[in-house]
């Protein structure tokens, strides 16, 4: 039996349903919800990769960004009980930890382009504790961009300490915060929220906090946590909602598909297969036509799949990370830190040009 293929402007399609979508991509037209679902349901990976890569090259050419960074997770003590999370611990748990300010300061290098601060929703740490932490980091390392606090944490400062997002964000900005990470978005679907993360900031609240940040000049990222119990329709709904926010604010710098790490949480028996990871990258690139950067997040994907992601639409590998704890709590397989040279070499092996950046995508060094 011969495989039927359809040739359209340089791409051979095994799945004919992708050909009209490719015509729209080439014409620079926006893709619909239904077209997003068709792409996610397709198994024509080579065609999706070429479509995603075409769109990536329009934005970044051959460049692939990375940042010398450190993820700081100040505590894993958390009042929430999200069923996908292996990181959070209750007070008194033998694995619970709290980092002191000096320990955090000692872990930062003045050469870093970014520190990324995300932690548990601690029952007792005051807002002022975090404000002081940002001030101290900024005073010690004025040239290091501080990216910190998910919308979920900003929402928690309101629930716990009655500080409205407008105020907490203004005070954190004054203290030295430059941008916000994209975590806490999980999957916007109300069903998923009810089943997996009751009590956590929902889609509307997450969006409201990011819109507020953008209006104050604080850029942010966006994420999706995929590969558990969500449907393909729920993934696309998530992307469409993000695209709508971005149309209004243009405040998102990057989108990061986070592959669910099964760890001991076991929502599903296995993590997503690499083809699903690559499809998620390609479809994100094609649906999020107004977000400049898509990350291939090696910490969760592993280096091999993350490198392939650079041919499916991703233009960013995130960073050298240092002591990231959330994915590693869930037993992600990748090493806990890639040095700068290793990151540049990994990107070069894919035929792309590594570009070291800071948190706001200012280019620091092109490794041509
Ligand atoms: O919000 C929790 C996720 C996020 C698991 O903005 C899990 O540049 C997978 O937001 N498997 C925090 N994911 C990490 C995050 C992030 C990471 C890298 C870059 C950026 C950025 C942001 O980690 C949480 C949650 O969605 N998470 N548990 C898990 N088992």
């Amino acid at each position: 039996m011969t495989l039927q293929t359809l040739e359209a402007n340089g791409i051979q399609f095994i799945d004919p349903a992708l050909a009209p979508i490719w015509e729209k991509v080439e014409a620079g037209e926006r893709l619909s919800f239904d077209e997003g679902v068709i792409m996610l349901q397709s198994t024509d990976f080579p065609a999706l990769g070429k479509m995603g890569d075409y769109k990536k090259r329009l934005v970044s050419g051959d460049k692939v960004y990375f940042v010398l960074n450190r993820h700081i997770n100040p505590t894993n003590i958390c009042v929430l009980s999200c069923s996908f999370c292996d990181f959070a611990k209750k007070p008194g748990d033998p694995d619970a930890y709290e980092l002191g300010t000096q320990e955090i300061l000692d872990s930062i290098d003045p050469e870093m382009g970014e520190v990324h601060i995300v932690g548990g929703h601690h029952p007792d740490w005051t807002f002022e504790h975090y404000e002081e932490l940002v001030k101290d980091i900024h005073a010690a390392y004025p040239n290091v961009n501080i990216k910190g606090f998910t919308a979920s944490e900003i929402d928690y400062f309101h629930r716990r300490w009655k500080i409205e997002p407008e105020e907490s964000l203004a005070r954190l900005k004054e203290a030295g915060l430059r941008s916000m990470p994209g975590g806490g978005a999980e999957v916007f679907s109300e069903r998923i929220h009810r089943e997996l993360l009751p009590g956590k900031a929902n889609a509307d609240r997450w969006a409201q906090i990011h819109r507020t940040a953008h209006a104050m000049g604080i850029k942010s990222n966006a994420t999706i946590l995929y590969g558990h119990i969500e449907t393909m329709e729920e993934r696309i709904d998530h992307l469409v909602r993000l695209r709508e926010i971005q149309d209004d604010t243009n405040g998102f710098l990057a989108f990061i598909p986070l592959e669910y790490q099964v760890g001991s949480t076991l929502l599903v028996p296995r993590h997503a297969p690499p083809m699903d990871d690559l499809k998620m990258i390609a479809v994100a690139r094609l649906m999020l036509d107004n977000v400049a950067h898509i990350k291939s997040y090696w910490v969760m994907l592993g280096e091999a799949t993350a490198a392939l992601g650079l041919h499916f639409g991703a233009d960013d590998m995130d960073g050298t990370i240092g002591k990231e704890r959330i994915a590693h709590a869930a037993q992600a397989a990748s090493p806990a830190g890639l040095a700068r040279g290793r990151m540049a070499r990994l990107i070069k092996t894919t035929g792309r040009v590594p570009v070291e950046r800071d948190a706001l995508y200012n280019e620091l060094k092109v490794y041509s």
Side-chain angles (χ1 to χ4, degrees):
M1 200 180 92
T2 50
L3 196 61
Q4 292 293 312
T5 60
L6 172 74
E7 166 97 27
N9 286 350
I11 299 190
Q12 288 235 316
F13 290 98
I14 296 166
D15 179 357
L18 296 182
I21 301 178
W22 171 230
E23 274 177 30
K24 284 181 75 175
V25 172
E26 277 198 301
E29 288 172 32
R30 178 157 278 191
L31 302 182
S32 67
F33 174 90
D34 290 344
E35 287 161 338
V37 175
I38 289 172
M39 291 191 289
L40 272 187
Q41 283 170 344
S42 177
T43 51
D44 193 349
F45 305 110
L48 284 168
K50 287 197 171 129
M51 289 162 68
D53 196 45
Y54 166 85
K55 201 77 182 158
K56 175 254 174 217
R57 292 166 83 89
L58 288 182
V59 180
S60 318
D62 270 343
K63 290 178 178 173
V64 170
Y65 296 92
F66 74 96
V67 59
L68 189 67
N69 70 352
R70 163 87 50 188
H71 278 211
I72 294 170
N73 308 123
T75 178
N76 61 353
I77 299 178
C78 190
V79 298
L80 296 178
S81 303
C82 303
S83 40
F84 54 81
C85 183
D86 244 359
F87 169 72
K89 297 284 175 269
K90 296 298 169 206
D93 186 298
D95 292 327
Y97 72 82
E98 296 171 339
L99 300 182
T101 300
Q102 197 53 51
E103 204 178 339
I104 291 175
L105 291 175
D106 290 345
S107 73
I108 300 171
D109 185 311
E111 266 191 84
M112 285 175 177
E114 156 190 298
V115 290
H116 169 134
I117 308 172
V118 176
H121 301 20
H122 195 287
D124 304 319
W125 280 8
T126 60
F127 173 74
E128 286 72 20
H129 176 85
Y130 293 97
E131 192 179 23
E132 286 305 313
L133 176 64
V134 173
K135 274 186 195 162
D136 290 342
I137 295 174
H138 186 54
Y141 304 99
N143 297 324
V144 177
N145 268 284
I146 302 175
K147 175 177 87 179
F149 309 103
T150 62
S152 180
E153 289 164 278
I154 299 294
D155 175 59
Y156 181 64
F157 294 144
H158 177 243
R159 292 178 193 217
R160 179 69 182 87
W161 304 110
K162 303 284 168 274
I163 301 175
E164 292 287 350
E166 288 77 2
E167 182 183 339
S168 58
L169 287 169
R171 285 169 61 180
L172 289 169
K173 186 178 178 193
E174 177 67 25
L177 185 80
R178 288 293 164 266
S179 62
M180 281 172 71
E186 321 311 0
V187 186
F188 288 147
S189 142
E190 287 75 23
R191 177 187 77 88
I192 300 277
H193 265 257
R194 267 196 317 276
E195 291 188 25
L196 300 188
L197 43 142
K200 194 166 184 173
N202 67 12
D204 289 343
R205 183 67 165 160
W206 190 95
Q208 183 205 5
I209 289 169
H210 280 261
R211 282 177 185 276
T212 303
H214 297 171
M216 296 167 64
I218 302 173
K219 297 277 187 188
S220 70
N221 291 337
T223 58
I224 185 171
L225 179 68
Y226 69 93
H228 45 89
I229 62 163
E230 84 289 356
T231 64
M232 296 300 147
E233 287 78 6
E234 284 167 334
R235 288 190 197 181
I236 297 296
D237 169 67
H238 188 93
L239 296 179
V240 170
R241 292 198 212 195
L242 288 174
R243 191 169 73 182
E244 285 167 5
I245 301 171
Q246 181 75 337
D247 273 344
D248 293 343
T249 68
N250 199 27
F252 291 127
L253 292 166
F255 175 73
I256 308 105
L258 298 173
E259 187 215 67
Y260 166 60
Q261 309 291 300
V262 177
S264 65
T265 61
L266 291 175
L267 293 178
V268 286
R270 298 176 56 79
H271 65 88
M275 282 308 181
D276 195 21
D277 297 322
L278 297 175
K279 203 154 62 165
M280 197 58 224
I281 288 174
V283 173
R285 171 60 79 185
L286 292 161
M287 291 301 291
L288 294 176
D289 52 17
N290 52 5
V291 176
H293 304 290
I294 306 288
K295 290 191 191 179
S296 195
Y297 189 46
W298 63 270
V299 176
M300 289 179 185
L301 300 181
E303 285 179 45
T305 305
L308 283 171
L310 304 181
H311 281 264
F312 275 72
D315 70 337
D316 191 314
M317 290 251 342
D318 198 84
T320 45
I321 308 284
K323 290 191 185 118
E324 199 279 347
R325 295 173 197 252
I326 297 178
H328 290 96
Q331 297 154 30
S334 52
L338 277 177
R340 180 194 253 152
R342 194 163 162 208
M343 183 74 90
R345 271 198 302 280
L346 181 62
I347 294 169
K348 274 192 180 166
T349 61
T350 69
R352 300 283 149 100
V353 177
V355 178
E356 191 174 337
R357 62 164 176 87
D358 69 11
L360 301 175
Y361 287 85
N362 297 304
E363 295 186 5
L364 304 179
K365 182 173 175 190
V366 180
Y367 292 70
S368 51

